[in-house]
Amino acid sequence: MDNRPVGIFDSGVGGLTVVKEVMKQLNNESIIYFGDTARVPYGTKSKNTVTKFAIQIIRFLLQQDVKAIIIACNTVNSNCIEELRNVFPDVIIEGVVEPGVKMALSATKNGRIGVIGTEATIASNRYTTLLTENHKDYRVYNKACPLFVPLVEDGWQNKQVTIMVIEEYLKELKTKDIDTLILGCTHYPILHTALKQVVGDNIQLINPANEAAHSMGERLLEKNIAATHSLGHKFYVSDHPEKMKDMAKMFLGYTINEVVEIDIENY
């Protein structure tokens, strides 16, 4: 057993949806979360830049003595998770893309799957590659939805304008007879109610955070490093710690007392 924390990181605050799921499923684990709020969004940046940022963040988390890492950011997952595993071969690194794919393949009945995410996640084609590598007859329909993140961060998830934006983005996907829709960005689960209102009950929404937490729990047990009790959680950002506190109320349902700002460029 090992009571060292699990590290979780994202380009900003959206990864708190993954934190929430880890807290729920792995309640003996301590968490160290880092949100790169100074350099968000990652979805419009190049693969090389995203890779550089992720390496810096993993170095920081390892200095905090984490025993394993979940990459909550779909953009990092889609563009460079294999490179990161090569750079840090001795570190358990889990993502959200592979778990999301696993959930979607279990859920779909007709093999027609939609994926929504940032521009970089969609452009990487990572979800399509993984969904179809063993299911050549499956059809995957992708859509970048860049306005979803600012709508969430402005707290507009229940406003009519958000419904209108969702309808505009998803109108083509709805014509493709999909029965499963992967929420390929950590912010998107906050829009679950609004998304469900638009897509209806015949399309199942997939939140990869559910399976990511489960997968990490299995890895910790397999390595015999699951914790016996939580030592608490710590939150770090590269900018705007007060905003992280505000966002935590929405994402986690409670207030974070302390958020520490660090200069991630030093790592």
Side-chain angles (χ1 to χ4, degrees):
M1 296 300 166
D2 186 340
N3 285 324
R4 289 180 299 158
V6 172
I8 301 174
F9 77 88
D10 189 31
S11 57
V13 301
L16 293 174
T17 56
V18 179
V19 171
K20 182 177 182 179
E21 203 58 39
V22 172
M23 286 178 172
K24 186 167 76 175
Q25 293 189 37
L26 311 176
N27 57 7
N28 283 338
E29 300 296 340
S30 309
I31 295 168
I32 291 183
Y33 180 81
F34 177 78
D36 198 2
T37 47
R39 304 185 295 196
V40 68
Y42 281 13
T44 56
K45 293 179 172 63
S46 70
K47 177 177 179 176
N48 287 342
T49 297
V50 169
T51 305
K52 182 185 80 170
F53 288 175
I55 288 172
Q56 291 173 335
I57 295 166
I58 291 175
R59 284 177 183 153
F60 164 72
L61 290 173
L62 292 176
Q63 285 197 13
Q64 311 313 304
D65 198 29
V66 300
K67 62 186 176 185
I69 292 172
I70 298 176
I71 302 173
C73 180
N74 277 265
T75 302
V76 174
N77 274 247
S78 300
N79 283 276
C80 58
I81 192 168
E82 295 306 330
E83 288 97 321
L84 296 173
R85 285 169 173 156
N86 289 333
V87 173
F88 302 99
D90 299 324
V91 182
I92 297 172
I93 297 178
E94 286 289 328
V96 289
V97 172
E98 293 97 331
V101 166
K102 181 179 178 181
M103 289 179 71
L105 290 175
S106 295
T108 187
K109 301 293 192 297
N110 68 1
R112 302 175 74 85
I113 300 167
V115 181
I116 52 176
T118 66
E119 291 163 321
T121 295
I122 298 304
S124 75
N125 221 33
R126 179 73 170 160
Y127 273 106
T128 300
T129 300
L130 293 175
L131 287 164
T132 59
E133 64 181 354
N134 295 315
H135 301 274
K136 302 299 183 185
D137 58 329
Y138 278 19
R139 293 290 174 264
V140 181
Y141 303 94
N142 297 279
K143 182 66 180 179
C145 304
L147 289 179
F148 284 3
V149 169
L151 286 169
V152 168
E153 296 203 355
D154 282 342
W156 284 23
Q157 64 268 29
N158 297 317
K159 290 187 179 289
Q160 187 58 35
V161 67
T162 301
I163 296 291
M164 293 168 64
V165 170
I166 293 172
E167 286 175 338
E168 182 64 26
Y169 275 140
L170 301 190
K171 64 182 181 183
E172 187 176 351
L173 279 184
K174 287 173 67 179
T175 69
K176 303 299 184 182
D177 193 32
I178 61 171
D179 68 351
T180 308
L181 180 63
I182 298 176
L183 309 185
C185 173
T186 50
H187 283 73
Y188 294 3
I190 300 297
L191 297 174
H192 184 279
T193 300
L195 285 163
K196 204 66 183 167
Q197 185 176 329
V198 172
V199 303
D201 293 333
N202 293 328
I203 296 176
Q204 184 167 338
L205 301 183
I206 301 295
N207 176 6
N210 298 334
E211 183 63 29
H214 177 73
S215 180
M216 176 56 76
E218 288 187 331
R219 291 292 300 278
L220 297 178
L221 288 171
E222 176 188 307
K223 298 286 187 180
N224 200 32
I225 55 172
T228 56
H229 60 279
S230 174
L231 302 174
H233 312 302
K234 295 181 180 179
F235 298 86
Y236 296 86
V237 293
S238 50
D239 201 10
H240 298 305
E242 292 304 316
K243 183 177 181 181
M244 171 67 86
K245 290 182 182 180
D246 292 339
M247 291 291 104
K249 295 176 188 176
M250 181 195 313
F251 282 81
L252 299 178
Y254 68 90
T255 303
I256 295 173
N257 293 324
E258 183 181 26
V259 178
V260 178
E261 182 179 337
I262 64 159
D263 184 357
I264 195 64
E265 296 281 0
N266 289 331
Y267 293 88

